[in-house]
Amino acid sequence: MQRYPAFLILFFVVSVAELLSVSIGWIEVHTVAKTLIMLSLIGYYMSSAQKRNGHFLRALFFCWTGDVLLLKQDGDEIFFILGLGAFLVGHLLYMLAYRELRWKEGGMLPTQKLRVSFPIALAGTGLIVVLLPYLGGLMIPVMVYAVVLMGMVMASFFRFGRTSPDSFWLVAAGALLFMISDSILAINKFHTPFASAGPLIMLTYIVGQYLIVEGALRHVSAPR
């Protein structure tokens, strides 16, 4: 499959700029760089995919929307809720895309799916329990988002045996990093703020999104 390095170069440049900007508090660069991260990945996916998946493309768009909305959360809490909603829709669309970016035959047995789902659910619910006393009026939206996020990660693992190995591992690793990024964000926002949270949140998010996109591009429509 032909790749278009211009979009990857742009993605790399804006990602480095974003990580530097959140580390030193360079607000102007942060605003521009964060806006361009998902746009560059969208361009990479659209120009590189032999057959574009509509649900996947819309998931990327809603993640970009979430990024833009969260840029304004310090001025008004409603933007945090709207950003959360945009990412929630993005996760649901990722789940739909994962069901399409897999082969019809093969896959995990129900008992295997349960074994895979258990540690993901345990980690997610454990974090919710820890954060619950600090969520206040955001308890319901955060809990709903967390459940959908866990479902997205589980859906990425359910592709095992139903896509090429590199596609499976890239998407699954990316989904896990997405969950880790959101977990760090939640801990920093609601429980214990810490100085390195910003770079860690963005690093895991950026790498996670890239791996998901790269994994989707490596899916082949039929077993080899």
Side-chain angles (χ1 to χ4, degrees):
M1 181 189 301
Q2 183 179 5
R3 294 289 195 270
Y4 288 82
F7 288 107
L8 281 182
I9 292 170
L10 175 62
F11 170 73
F12 176 77
V13 170
V14 297
S15 296
V16 171
E18 169 64 6
L19 292 172
L20 288 174
S21 68
V22 295
S23 298
I24 64 177
W26 200 351
I27 302 300
E28 294 81 4
V29 174
H30 167 62
T31 301
V32 175
K34 190 175 183 183
T35 303
L36 291 175
I37 289 169
M38 290 308 300
L39 287 179
S40 61
L41 281 180
I42 290 171
Y44 176 54
Y45 177 75
M46 290 185 66
S47 62
S48 301
Q50 293 180 344
K51 183 179 179 182
R52 298 172 189 167
N53 182 281
H55 286 128
F56 190 80
L57 190 55
R58 284 186 285 273
L60 298 178
F61 171 79
F62 273 96
C63 288
W64 171 77
T65 304
D67 281 344
V68 173
L69 289 168
L70 290 182
L71 283 171
K72 303 179 181 181
Q73 64 176 309
D74 291 337
D76 194 335
E77 192 71 19
I78 189 62
F79 287 106
F80 175 78
I81 298 174
L82 291 174
L84 203 68
F87 276 111
L88 185 147
V89 175
H91 291 318
L92 291 172
L93 289 165
Y94 269 143
M95 292 167 69
L96 291 173
Y98 296 160
R99 291 182 61 86
E100 295 171 350
L101 295 171
R102 65 184 190 181
W103 304 326
K104 293 182 180 180
E105 304 297 331
M108 295 180 175
L109 298 172
T111 53
Q112 292 174 314
K113 289 183 177 181
L114 283 175
R115 286 198 294 268
V116 166
S117 300
F118 180 74
I120 298 169
L122 184 64
T125 53
L127 181 59
I128 292 173
V129 170
V130 171
L131 295 178
L132 206 57
Y134 307 92
L135 296 178
L138 292 175
M139 180 177 67
I140 299 301
V142 170
M143 289 179 65
V144 171
Y145 177 83
V147 170
V148 174
L149 174 60
M150 287 185 282
M152 186 275 289
V153 178
M154 292 174 190
S156 73
F157 277 86
F158 293 165
R159 298 174 72 240
F160 181 78
R162 303 186 71 173
T163 185
S164 57
D166 53 347
S167 176
F168 167 77
W169 287 112
L170 286 167
V171 171
L176 275 177
L177 283 172
F178 206 140
M179 184 172 175
I180 291 170
S181 176
D182 280 352
S183 299
I184 298 170
L185 187 154
I187 292 169
N188 182 68
K189 182 176 179 65
F190 297 111
H191 192 277
T192 307
F194 56 101
S196 59
L200 282 175
I201 291 166
M202 290 312 302
L203 177 62
T204 48
Y205 174 74
I206 289 167
V207 177
Q209 289 282 34
Y210 168 73
L211 293 179
I212 291 172
V213 171
E214 190 65 41
L217 288 171
R218 296 194 187 193
H219 172 69
V220 292
S221 59
R224 293 175 180 174

